[in-house]
Amino acid sequence: MQDDRYHIVIVGGGTAGWMTAAGLVRQLPGADYAITLVESDEIGTVGVGEATLPHIKLFNDMLGLDEAQFMRETGATIKLGIEFCDWDRPGDRYIHPFGAFGEPWGGVEFQNHWLRAKANGRPVAPFQAYSYAVAAARANAFELPDENPKSIRSTYSYAYHFDAGLYAEFLRRWATGHGVARIEGQVCDISRDQASGAIAGVALKSGVSISGDLFVDCTGFRSLLLAGQFDVGWEDWTPWLPCDRALAVPCAHGGDLTPYTRATARRAGWQWRIPLQHRIGNGYIFSSTFCSQEEARETLLANLDGEALAEPRLLRFSPGRRACAWRSNCVAIGLASGFLEPLESTSIYLIQAAVIDLINLMPSPRAVREGIDPRLADEFNRLTVMQYERVRDFLVLHYIANRREGEPLWDYLRHMPIPDSLTHKLELFRARAMAPNYQYGLFARDSWLSVLIGQGIMPAGYDRLADTFDLDMLVARLDDFAGRIESSVAAMSSHADFIANYCAAEGVPA
Ligand code: FAD
């Protein structure tokens, strides 16, 4: 019997491939769309990517995954944010939390009230004291947020640290169980339609050929289909993000199970620490211009919580993105479309955003006969560029405001020219305490505030509407808010207990 459905072929079975397969099979009617995924056991995946953003919960919820089961099967822990150590000057630390700072009063954003109290010489707590997620992270505490919006425990959200390889396997089981056809094999040839230039099919080493109507390139840094077949340029962001290497190594646990990622600035880059249930993931992201691989290795191994569980593994990358992610009938998702260093754990989020955009812009099955409407690709590309540029500006912000004088990488970063779009955001904040608050994409206002203030950038002014409030009442309200956070966090259970009771992975000591 002839299958006249619209055929989508995903090449690559890393996190990007399986998130794409799962998202598409969940949202597209099986009567109209057939989905096939090709992956090569021989080539394998990039094998890193352990920290996420809260959005991933929405993705998992869209699939209908059971949270406790997913956490158990991926060795997951909770992430309430990222602790940045030594980024301004050695010894400094702040957390970029998942959640709000304070609350808006009288329609005026919280930071303005705090700045006004400070400007009037009132003794207020540091900005970080007004975030529930910061307080809970510092206390190694966690409970699921309260759904009642009036509760102070509703003011934070959370993400996960997990084993990305196990997550891809989990999604593979789920997606194949819901109708995705999986083919193991290595693509060695790609055929194009002579007239339209569109990809017609891929051929595997085994001799098997797979034809399709739409091809999703999830082949990682190789970008076998998009970059390999189409003349798509590369926008290089090395001048703003000079780190181009990572050494990654897992180690044994050596202390408390912290519910946050740590990013510690080092002489020529920064080191991540990501606690999973069964181990800690670590890595040194560094610039090969300013640091040898040997020095990076020594630095990494000298700064582990416990015994190294493997030899450090080197990964090379270039920061930037493909000039477009969708060309003809080929859409690149994941590392095949671009890469930004994992300072804010954004890659898996960018995959998720691309999958959702692709679902929304998916050509109708009629495209088999009529061709793909080019406006779909234009819109996908516009959204992708916007996502990447917003993340880029946020990452660059972490670097430029450093005061690590005398260290060549950090001296360079302090003085380099920055993107105009970031200059604009900085000027608005410096003048009036205004921070971006995107409805779409990353990052929300509280994220910007945490890093701007965390890096020591303080505005000269604030929203004048804040002046309408009685100052004594305002200070009392600030104190009350910080006090409520403190007492509520003190009554929470520990992160370790939460994991043990909710989702302990098999074989992991409780
Ligand atoms: P890959 O994992 O490389 O998968 C590529 C797939 O394509 C594989 O299945 C491979 O077999 C297949 N393939 C390739 N060629 C062929 C072929 N010829 N035929 C058939 N199949 C083929 N992201 C985060 O969100 N958080 C983090 O903390 C984080 N940390 C990172 C740290 C580092 C150092 C790096 C480099 C990345 C990090 N990332 C992180 C990014 C994250 O790892 C990736 O975004 C994510 O794993 C998706 O990768 P991918 O699926 O695009 O590519």
Side-chain angles (χ1 to χ4, degrees):
M1 196 177 73
Q2 196 194 341
D3 181 356
D4 56 3
R5 292 181 295 172
Y6 192 73
H7 282 257
I8 302 168
V9 179
I10 300 164
V11 183
T15 316
W18 285 111
M19 284 181 76
T20 305
L24 296 188
V25 81
R26 174 74 183 83
Q27 295 297 333
L28 302 177
D32 294 333
Y33 295 90
I35 301 165
T36 303
L37 184 145
V38 187
E39 65 180 327
S40 161
D41 289 346
E42 211 175 308
I43 292 178
T45 65
V46 69
V48 278
E50 299 167 328
T52 60
L53 295 178
H55 309 70
I56 194 159
K57 183 163 164 32
L58 299 176
F59 187 81
N60 288 350
D61 288 350
M62 177 183 91
L63 301 182
L65 303 185
D66 177 82
E67 184 180 57
Q69 185 197 358
F70 141 76
M71 291 184 73
R72 218 172 11 251
E73 293 193 22
T74 59
T77 63
I78 293 294
K79 174 179 172 189
L80 285 167
I82 305 175
E83 182 185 41
F84 290 93
C85 300
D86 306 337
W87 279 75
D88 182 12
R89 277 189 288 218
D92 288 339
R93 53 185 57 205
Y94 66 91
I95 288 182
H96 165 197
F98 298 145
F101 283 96
E103 54 190 2
W105 294 319
V108 178
E109 290 168 13
F110 177 80
Q111 75 273 17
N112 297 292
H113 296 301
W114 180 75
L115 286 164
R116 177 177 170 229
K118 270 176 84 74
N120 282 277
R122 297 303 184 100
V124 288
F127 196 63
Q128 293 259 300
Y130 301 96
S131 159
Y132 198 102
V134 169
R138 293 258 176 253
N140 288 334
F142 184 75
E143 277 171 30
L144 294 170
D146 196 330
E147 284 176 12
N148 174 4
K150 289 195 177 141
S151 162
I152 197 150
R153 286 202 186 171
S154 71
T155 61
Y156 63 95
S157 53
Y158 62 95
Y160 313 102
H161 303 121
F162 58 46
D163 182 319
L166 295 178
Y167 184 55
E169 281 174 27
F170 186 84
L171 290 182
R172 177 203 286 171
R173 284 194 296 280
W174 188 92
T176 49
H178 284 76
V180 172
R182 171 185 183 259
I183 299 176
E184 197 286 315
Q186 193 173 328
V187 172
C188 61
D189 195 23
I190 297 165
S191 58
R192 307 271 295 272
D193 179 82
Q194 295 259 318
S196 67
I199 295 178
V202 294
L204 308 186
K205 255 181 167 178
S206 61
V208 170
S209 290
I210 304 156
S211 58
D213 301 306
L214 185 80
F215 288 80
V216 188
D217 184 348
C218 294
T219 59
F221 288 130
R222 286 174 189 79
S223 194
L224 195 66
L225 281 70
L226 183 76
Q229 288 296 312
F230 298 94
D231 190 20
V232 171
W234 173 257
E235 194 161 316
D236 179 30
W237 290 341
T238 309
W240 293 315
L241 295 166
C243 290
D244 58 357
R245 299 278 189 281
L247 271 179
V249 70
C251 78
H253 273 288
D256 289 333
L257 189 63
T258 48
Y260 53 87
T261 301
R262 181 175 296 141
T264 305
R266 301 271 179 237
R267 199 190 67 79
W270 61 275
Q271 181 169 338
W272 81 72
R273 175 188 177 280
I274 300 177
L276 311 187
Q277 290 190 40
H278 45 302
R279 60 172 167 80
I280 297 179
N282 308 273
Y284 186 7
I285 296 275
F286 62 99
S287 162
S288 59
T289 309
F290 295 96
C291 180
S292 68
Q293 189 178 326
E294 198 39 49
E295 181 194 326
R297 185 178 181 280
E298 276 171 25
T299 305
L300 176 64
L301 292 177
N303 289 286
L304 301 179
D305 284 24
E307 182 200 346
L309 300 175
E311 253 307 295
R313 195 160 67 87
L314 182 72
L315 296 114
R316 295 163 202 268
F317 57 83
S318 303
R321 63 171 179 82
R322 304 266 162 219
C324 68
W326 184 335
R327 174 71 66 83
S328 182
N329 67 338
C330 175
V331 184
I333 294 184
L335 299 174
S337 68
F339 181 65
L340 288 162
E341 61 176 75
L343 183 57
E344 284 284 353
S345 327
T346 43
S347 286
I348 293 174
Y349 163 80
L350 289 171
I351 294 170
Q352 172 178 349
V355 172
I356 300 300
D357 290 341
L358 182 57
I359 290 167
N360 287 332
L361 295 165
M362 179 58 65
S364 85
R366 287 195 313 277
V368 174
R369 294 186 306 279
E370 297 169 7
I372 296 173
D373 181 342
R375 286 171 297 194
L376 299 175
D378 289 350
E379 181 61 2
F380 186 88
N381 290 330
R382 185 186 72 79
L383 294 170
T384 306
V385 170
M386 191 170 79
Q387 294 275 13
Y388 268 85
E389 289 185 351
R390 287 179 174 177
V391 172
R392 176 201 65 197
D393 283 3
F394 192 58
L395 297 190
V396 173
L397 170 68
H398 294 67
Y399 284 111
I400 52 171
N402 81 80
R403 282 180 286 178
R404 298 180 61 106
E405 282 163 28
E407 294 176 308
L409 170 75
W410 296 92
D411 289 343
Y412 165 79
L413 290 162
R414 221 173 26 254
H415 299 297
M416 69 182 175
I418 61 173
D420 291 345
S421 46
L422 179 56
T423 305
H424 175 79
K425 289 164 194 148
L426 278 170
E427 283 175 2
L428 274 177
F429 182 71
R430 285 197 169 113
R432 285 295 153 86
M434 290 169 88
N437 196 24
Y438 303 123
Q439 296 301 312
Y440 179 90
L442 300 175
F443 275 89
R445 180 171 48 231
D446 288 300
S447 295
W448 280 88
L449 291 173
S450 67
V451 177
L452 285 159
I453 295 173
Q455 292 290 146
I457 302 173
M458 290 301 284
Y462 55 84
D463 184 344
R464 290 201 181 93
L465 282 178
D467 288 332
T468 41
F469 294 85
D470 177 78
L471 195 55
D472 291 332
M473 195 187 78
L474 172 71
V475 172
R477 221 165 159 169
L478 285 165
D479 287 350
D480 174 64
F481 196 89
R484 279 193 289 141
I485 289 179
E486 223 177 282
S487 54
S488 180
V489 166
M492 279 174 112
S493 64
S494 76
H495 176 224
D497 283 350
F498 173 82
I499 296 294
N501 295 330
Y502 187 67
C503 56
E506 262 174 41
V508 176

